[in-house]
């Protein structure tokens, strides 16, 4: 049994894609009609399988379609994607995905996710430049000396800051940029790579799970449910604070064991390999010179600019990629690198993250298969019917697990919101609870499953850190159980208070 190795993330995703392709033969095809606001024409476009028509952008139009959302949510741009129209689900002719569809899905996924793939490759390039010139080596040695005996602050600060990013503007895909920089720092502090991964990934996950002002989840979900996003804010803020504390305590307990006895590490067998890739020596051949300080400042400013652009200027991967490309060129100039050396090291760095780029594309290919097979809306229609007639506490907790299950098929928080909220939120009225509880169940359900969701970001993150999915599950499952029980208690209290 020891010779049997857990599959790589690429193989896991291909197996999932094959499973989804089989589901398209078993689950009936179907689709809801959709409604989308056209800002240029100031009208709605109603799309069904038979035809597409233009409707006046009025509150009367929304009410006639049983959509309980204020008109201004569409006209001010809060809801830009097509939303599902309640009560319009129709079964369609089957579209089972065959062998050729399965083979094509990773290619289509790579094409559709080309923006994030290019971001990852450019990020690998700038990291390759930084490693070549020795700036990371010098900075990490200095930081390790400065934090000696107080390494636990790394866990507290990184987890807290990342969670703030998650709860405010949905910091998720962008965290891929942090792993290659933070892992050597955590290794130098005598922690293992899982601690570094946990601080970033768990911080992001708990932050987005308990989103307070995140426009990509709580705001768009509340808008799609027809309520103000501030409704239920206090409860989500309390969940965030307690959730972050639980995660930090959980990580610190594990980190302390590893620091005292490295053999307690879940990835102890891979210790030498990981340290060889990322380095862990606190003795550096490079001192932190004035030039290195300037270069590290420029590198750090790339992240500051990226975060500001995403949170305040509406940037996405195209602009983020440009920031790191300019940063790489500027760093190469400051380091006085020769043009040929710069290009060679940049390409080497990009090549190091090529496997991560493929994982992102293959994961998107799973969504391609579901879209082509027309099974997502069928799953949603059946999920909404399961909760009919339930007591409100049971209803809320069942909805939590329904959203966890749906997030396997729809890992996008904004996509989940616009697809499901018009269908799910009216169910709150039938059981006598506020629609903000539906929004919370959506957030918490997606967030809990995000800790382990293979169609989400975890496999790409693990590929960067060089940790197997099985090792991650061994580390995180107890925490997921703790957070699930805590969330169920919280949701139950919400419906009765």
């Amino acid at each position: 049994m020891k010779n049997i190795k857990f599959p790589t993330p690429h193989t896991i995703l291909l197996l999932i894609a094959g499973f989804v392709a089989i589901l398209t033969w078993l689950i009936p095809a179907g689709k809801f009609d959709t409604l989308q606001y056209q800002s240029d024409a100031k009208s709605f476009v109603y799309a069904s399988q038979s035809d597409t028509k233009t409707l006046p952008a009025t509150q009367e139009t929304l009410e006639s379609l049983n959509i309980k959302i204020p008109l201004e949510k569409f006209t001010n741009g809060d809801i830009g994607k097509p939303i599902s129209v309640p009560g319009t689900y129709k079964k369609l002719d089957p579209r089972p995905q065959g062998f050729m569809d399965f083979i094509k899905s990773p290619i289509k996924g790579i094409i559709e996710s080309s923006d994030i793939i290019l971001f990852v490759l450019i990020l690998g390039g700038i990291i390759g430049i930084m490693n070549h010139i020795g700036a990371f080596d010098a900075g990490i040695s200095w930081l390790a000396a400065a934090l000696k005996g107080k390494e636990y602050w790394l866990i507290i600060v990184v987890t807290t800051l990342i969670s703030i990013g998650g709860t405010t503007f949905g910091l998720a895909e962008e965290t891929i940029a942090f792993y290659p920089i933070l892992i050597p720092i955590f290794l130098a502090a005598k922690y293992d790579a899982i601690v570094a991964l946990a601080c970033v990934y768990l911080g992001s996950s708990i932050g987005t799970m308990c989103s307070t002002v995140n426009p990509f989840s709580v705001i768009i979900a509340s808008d799609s449910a027809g309520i103000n996003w501030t409704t239920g804010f206090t409860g989500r803020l309390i969940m965030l604070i307690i959730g972050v504390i639980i995660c930090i305590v959980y990580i610190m307990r594990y980190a302390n064991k590893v620091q005292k006895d490295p053999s307690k590490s879940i990835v102890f067998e891979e210790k030498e390999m990981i340290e060889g890739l990322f380095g862990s020596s606190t003795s550096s051949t490079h001192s932190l010179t004035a030039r290195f300080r300037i270069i590290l400042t420029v590198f750090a400013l790339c992240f500051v600019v990226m975060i500001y652009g995403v949170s305040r200027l509406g940037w996405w991967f195209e602009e983020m990629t440009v920031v790191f490309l300019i940063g790489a060129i500027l760093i190469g100039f400051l380091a006085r690198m020769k043009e040929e050396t710069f290009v060679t090291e940049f390409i080497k760095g990009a090549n190091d993250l090529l496997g991560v780029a493929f994982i992102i594309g293959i994961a998107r290919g799973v969504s391609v298969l579901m879209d082509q097979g027309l099974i997502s809306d069928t799953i949603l229609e059946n999920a909404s019917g399961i909760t009919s007639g339930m007591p409100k506490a049971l209803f809320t907790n069942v909805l939590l697990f329904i959203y966890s299950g749906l997030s396997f098929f729809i890992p996008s928080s904004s996509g989940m919101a616009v697809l499901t909220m018009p269908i799910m939120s009216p169910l709150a009225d039938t059981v006598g609870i506020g629609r903000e509880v539906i929004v919370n169940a959506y957030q918490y359900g997606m967030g809990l499953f995000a800790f382990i969701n293979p169609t989400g970001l975890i496999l790409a993150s693990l590929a960067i850190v060089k940790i197997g999915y099985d090792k991650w599950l061994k580390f995180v499952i107890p925490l997921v159980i703790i957070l699930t029980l805590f969330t169920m208690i919280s949701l139950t209290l919400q419906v009765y208070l």
Side-chain angles (χ1 to χ4, degrees):
M1 290 297 289
K2 285 188 176 181
N3 293 326
I4 300 175
K5 293 190 70 175
F6 200 78
T8 63
H10 307 77
T11 303
I12 292 171
L13 283 171
L14 286 173
L15 290 172
I16 290 172
F19 170 69
V20 169
I22 293 170
L23 287 182
T24 64
W25 291 79
L26 303 176
I27 298 175
K31 197 161 181 61
F32 287 98
D33 294 347
T34 61
L35 187 75
Q36 184 173 21
Y37 179 71
Q38 300 291 315
S39 57
D40 51 350
K42 292 183 169 54
S43 61
F44 286 122
V45 173
Y46 185 97
S48 64
Q49 291 302 302
S50 57
D51 68 339
T52 299
K53 57 187 176 182
T54 302
L55 300 175
T58 63
Q59 194 66 49
E60 288 73 22
T61 297
L62 294 172
E63 290 175 1
S64 69
L65 297 173
N66 199 30
I67 297 174
K68 309 296 184 182
I69 303 174
L71 178 63
E72 60 267 20
K73 298 297 184 183
F74 295 91
T75 57
N76 63 14
D78 288 341
I79 301 177
K81 296 181 180 181
I83 68 167
S84 302
V85 179
T88 60
Y89 173 81
K90 299 181 186 69
K91 287 188 176 180
L92 302 173
D93 293 335
R95 279 200 203 169
Q97 300 297 289
F99 181 73
M100 283 306 297
D101 297 303
F102 165 68
I103 294 299
K104 289 179 182 178
S105 65
I107 309 303
K108 290 181 178 179
I110 289 170
I111 293 170
E112 288 192 9
S113 55
S114 59
D115 52 355
I116 184 172
I117 286 175
L118 188 58
F119 169 72
V120 168
L121 295 179
I122 296 297
L123 176 67
I126 190 173
I127 291 168
I129 297 297
M130 292 290 288
N131 282 330
H132 175 74
I133 63 179
F136 279 157
D137 193 14
I140 290 165
S141 295
W142 174 85
L143 187 62
L147 288 175
K148 192 167 183 64
K150 299 178 181 178
E151 294 88 353
Y152 59 88
W153 277 107
L154 272 174
I155 298 170
I156 297 171
V157 172
V158 171
T159 308
T160 302
L161 289 178
I162 297 290
S163 68
I164 291 172
T167 195
T168 53
F169 66 92
L171 182 68
E173 290 92 346
E174 301 89 342
T175 58
I176 287 174
F178 295 108
Y179 294 115
I181 300 99
L182 289 175
I183 293 169
I185 297 173
F186 278 82
L187 292 179
K190 305 303 179 187
Y191 297 132
D192 65 7
I194 277 191
V195 178
L197 172 67
C199 289
V200 177
Y201 192 80
L202 296 185
S204 169
S205 297
I206 197 68
T208 51
M209 172 182 163
C210 306
S211 292
T212 50
V213 296
N214 179 2
F216 304 109
S217 60
V218 66
I219 292 180
I220 195 170
S222 298
D223 289 342
S224 300
I227 60 175
N228 193 296
W229 66 269
T230 57
T231 307
F233 174 85
T234 303
R236 288 188 288 269
L237 181 60
I238 294 171
M239 275 286 293
L240 173 68
I241 294 170
I242 298 176
V244 170
I245 292 172
I246 291 173
C247 288
I248 288 175
V249 170
Y250 187 85
I251 296 169
M252 287 184 69
R253 286 191 63 187
Y254 171 81
N256 288 337
K257 285 195 301 183
V258 171
Q259 197 176 40
K260 291 176 181 175
D261 182 359
S263 66
K264 300 290 186 182
S265 169
I266 292 174
V267 291
F268 182 69
E269 293 177 1
E270 294 85 7
K271 185 175 185 290
E272 289 186 10
M273 181 270 292
I274 293 173
E275 289 181 352
L277 286 169
F278 296 102
S280 66
S281 175
T282 57
S283 59
S284 171
T285 56
H286 300 92
S287 58
L288 192 60
T289 62
R291 179 176 296 178
F292 277 153
R293 290 177 189 271
I294 294 171
I295 288 172
L296 288 168
T297 301
V298 170
F299 184 73
L301 283 174
C302 289
F303 290 87
V304 174
V305 172
M306 176 191 77
I307 291 170
Y308 179 80
V310 171
S311 61
R312 310 297 292 181
L313 304 178
W315 286 5
W316 201 228
F317 284 107
E318 184 177 334
E319 294 85 357
M320 289 158 55
T321 303
V322 169
V323 168
F324 282 98
L325 179 59
I326 293 173
I329 295 170
L330 185 56
I331 288 168
F333 175 77
L334 291 170
R336 298 178 183 174
M337 293 180 70
K338 293 181 180 179
E339 180 266 345
E340 184 180 356
T341 304
F342 176 86
V343 173
T344 300
E345 295 303 326
F346 189 91
I347 292 173
K348 281 183 182 177
N351 183 61
D352 287 341
L353 293 188
L354 190 59
V356 178
F358 278 123
I359 288 172
I360 293 167
I362 297 169
R364 183 68 62 89
V366 176
S367 299
V368 169
L369 285 170
M370 284 187 293
D371 292 339
Q372 291 178 168
L374 297 175
I375 63 173
S376 298
D377 283 10
T378 302
I379 295 170
L380 173 59
E381 169 70 5
N382 284 278
S384 63
I386 290 173
T387 56
S388 178
M390 286 184 177
K392 55 186 180 181
L394 179 61
F395 165 84
T396 307
N397 284 287
V398 168
L399 200 61
L400 173 75
F401 290 100
I402 285 175
Y403 268 114
S404 287
L406 287 174
S407 66
F408 174 82
F409 299 97
I410 313 170
S412 164
S413 59
S414 57
M416 179 76 82
V418 296
L419 282 173
T420 66
M421 277 301 146
I423 309 302
M424 294 296 198
S425 59
L427 299 177
D429 306 334
T430 64
V431 295
I433 61 175
R435 292 191 174 191
E436 73 277 4
V437 178
I438 307 293
V439 173
N440 291 347
Y442 139 80
Q443 286 201 161
Y444 302 158
M446 284 200 75
L448 285 169
F449 194 59
F451 286 88
I452 58 172
N453 187 2
T455 59
L457 279 176
I458 185 58
L459 291 185
S461 302
L462 289 168
I464 295 178
V465 187
K466 309 299 181 187
I467 293 174
Y469 186 49
D470 55 331
K471 300 295 179 67
W472 173 250
L473 292 178
K474 183 178 180 181
F475 168 78
V476 83
I477 286 296
L479 175 63
V480 172
I481 293 171
I482 293 168
L483 288 173
T484 300
L485 293 173
F486 169 62
T487 303
M488 291 176 68
I489 293 169
S490 175
L491 280 174
T492 302
L493 291 174
Q494 283 182 46
V495 300
Y496 287 113
L497 294 180

